[in-house]
Amino acid sequence: MAARTTRRSVKKEIMSIYRSTVWFVKGLKEYTKQGYLNASRSFRPNDLDVDVTGKSFMITGANSGIGKCTALAIAKKGGIVHMVCRDSIRGEDARKEITDTTGNQNVFLHLLDMSKPKDIAKFAADFETSGKNLDVLINNAGCMVIIRELTDDGLEKNFATNTLGAHVLTTSLLSVLNKAEKPRVILVTSGGMLVQKLDLKDLQFEKMYPFDGTMAYAQNKRQQVIMTEQYAKKYPNIHCSCMHPGWADTPAVRMSMPSFHAKMKDRLRTPEQGADTLLWLAISDAALQQPSGLFFQDRTSVSKHLPLAWSKSTKQEDEQLMASLDELSKQYSTLS
């Protein structure tokens, strides 16, 4: 029995090394600044020539990096922007910069910690009660906590923010989104998810020893890809998609992955390049011509799995993930 367990562990380790190696080689070719420049040669520039005046966009994590770039671009095009941020000072500084730059006064700051399900549910309920419209929800906020940390609810911080928080916000805003003519939901995931297979047995990394925040983050991002697929099936009136921004030079990367940033900084994409596909998915008509539920990189739908990586989950496992998220959502976000 012990020998069999050891063999399984060795096989798992070998597969992990294989996935990580293939992923990194792929990243050097596709996820860098040069990868973006190569891909952009096939972009249709007119795709982003869109006036979104009067349309409403909600962006979590909108005070820096890719989220801020997307908020700025949408504000320039006349959109109503709801910035959902955790930090009041950084959020207000970003909001003021966007309004001063664009002259668009329809940019609003909402304070919310995406690791707190009950606060998220209350925020969504208040937003609906306010009568505000919402055309596009962009789940961009995320974290990569390197040391295992629990929230006040006892939830692992990465899972609570990246996976459960996005699920609670999305499902809590469905009634508002369904009032829009062509509603969209977008999740900013990561190509790092390619090194992970869905692990239902340890959603909150209680068995991960030693704890690896990078792999926890990658597992969350795999979960987001599956969530996108399931949303597309369950909510056919909403166009759902997820995307990888590439390796971009953002404050989040500098803070969470300092050694990676130091080694790769000259090859990283600008935040604007990282945000390009997110903006394309949020505003372009071309994006709506694509089926719902896909994973995008540089305005193109791409595979959700590396070759020979054995990272595909079953239909039953995907459905079980959503059932688990619904149960946790009910447990932690029910408003009394």
Side-chain angles (χ1 to χ4, degrees):
M1 184 71 172
R4 192 178 305 163
T5 300
T6 301
R7 284 197 297 272
R8 281 200 297 266
S9 297
V10 170
K11 288 180 181 178
K12 186 175 181 180
E13 181 64 23
I14 291 172
M15 180 54 71
S16 177
I17 294 171
Y18 166 78
R19 289 173 185 161
S20 296
T21 302
V22 174
W23 172 79
F24 188 71
V25 172
K26 177 182 176 69
L28 288 174
K29 180 182 178 182
E30 300 178 13
Y31 302 163
T32 58
K33 183 187 300 182
Q34 189 59 52
Y36 172 83
L37 294 175
N38 292 340
S40 67
R41 292 175 187 143
S42 64
F43 290 177
R44 294 184 301 183
N46 293 339
D47 280 358
L48 297 182
D49 290 343
V50 182
D51 182 356
V52 294
T53 300
K55 289 193 175 182
S56 177
F57 300 77
M58 183 179 291
I59 308 170
T60 65
N63 60 275
S64 67
I66 291 166
K68 181 181 175 183
C69 287
T70 305
L72 176 62
I74 290 172
K76 284 181 178 178
K77 294 178 179 295
I80 301 167
V81 180
H82 295 282
M83 303 172 60
V84 178
C85 306
R86 183 179 60 179
D87 187 283
S88 60
I89 295 175
R90 286 183 293 180
E92 178 55 29
D93 286 348
R95 188 203 66 78
K96 186 175 186 303
E97 179 184 340
I98 291 171
T99 56
D100 288 349
T101 301
T102 65
N104 186 340
Q105 298 303 309
N106 290 315
V107 181
F108 306 98
L109 175 64
H110 307 271
L111 297 180
L112 181 65
D113 187 332
M114 288 297 294
S115 72
K116 298 181 178 181
K118 184 167 285 189
D119 289 358
I120 298 170
K122 184 179 186 306
F123 164 75
D126 290 346
F127 189 88
E128 180 176 7
T129 301
S130 73
K132 296 183 178 73
N133 298 324
L134 184 61
D135 295 275
V136 181
L137 170 62
I138 298 175
N139 287 294
N140 168 70
C143 69
M144 185 191 294
V145 181
I146 302 304
I147 299 173
R148 190 171 187 273
E149 179 183 332
L150 301 183
T151 67
D152 293 340
D153 292 316
L155 297 163
E156 193 277 324
K157 189 69 171 284
N158 293 296
F159 172 78
T161 304
N162 301 328
T163 301
L164 185 60
H167 181 66
V168 173
L169 184 63
T170 300
T171 54
S172 298
L173 288 171
L174 286 173
S175 57
V176 182
L177 284 162
N178 276 318
K179 295 175 183 176
E181 183 181 357
K182 296 178 180 179
R184 312 186 199 197
V185 169
I186 307 162
L187 285 86
V188 178
T189 181
S190 167
M193 65 88 189
L194 292 168
V195 306
Q196 287 283 307
K197 180 179 180 179
L198 177 64
D199 183 2
L200 289 172
K201 296 179 181 178
D202 196 22
L203 288 178
Q204 299 196 57
F205 314 111
E206 296 167 288
K207 302 173 186 176
M208 181 186 279
Y209 185 81
F211 181 77
D212 186 332
T214 304
M215 289 299 104
Y217 177 83
Q219 176 67 205
N220 294 158
K221 294 303 173 177
R222 169 60 70 189
Q223 293 161 1
Q224 289 182 341
V225 171
I226 295 170
M227 288 158 58
T228 303
E229 293 173 336
Q230 296 301 307
Y231 292 154
K233 293 177 182 177
K234 192 170 183 179
Y235 312 118
N237 294 330
I238 301 176
H239 190 274
C240 303
S241 57
C242 56
M243 58 80 66
H244 173 42
W247 294 341
D249 190 351
T250 65
V253 171
R254 291 195 293 273
M255 181 177 67
S256 299
M257 305 173 69
S259 59
F260 174 80
H261 180 268
K263 293 174 184 176
M264 297 293 296
K265 60 182 179 181
D266 293 334
R267 305 176 74 170
L268 298 178
R269 300 179 178 199
T270 66
E272 290 78 13
Q273 290 171 338
D276 176 83
T277 295
L278 180 55
L279 180 64
W280 183 82
L281 287 169
I283 71 171
S284 76
D285 292 331
L288 292 181
Q289 304 308 310
Q290 299 287 325
S292 187
L294 299 182
F295 170 56
F296 288 85
Q297 174 188 311
D298 292 331
R299 303 193 193 183
T300 302
S301 63
V302 294
S303 176
K304 300 165 185 172
H305 303 277
L306 294 171
L308 305 176
W310 295 91
S311 57
K312 294 182 180 180
S313 49
T314 66
K315 178 176 179 289
Q316 291 74 21
E317 287 171 331
D318 293 349
E319 291 173 350
Q320 180 56 51
L321 171 66
M322 303 310 292
S324 297
L325 293 179
D326 286 340
E327 180 59 34
L328 287 168
S329 178
K330 182 178 179 181
Q331 179 180 350
Y332 288 101
S333 68
T334 300
L335 298 176
S336 56

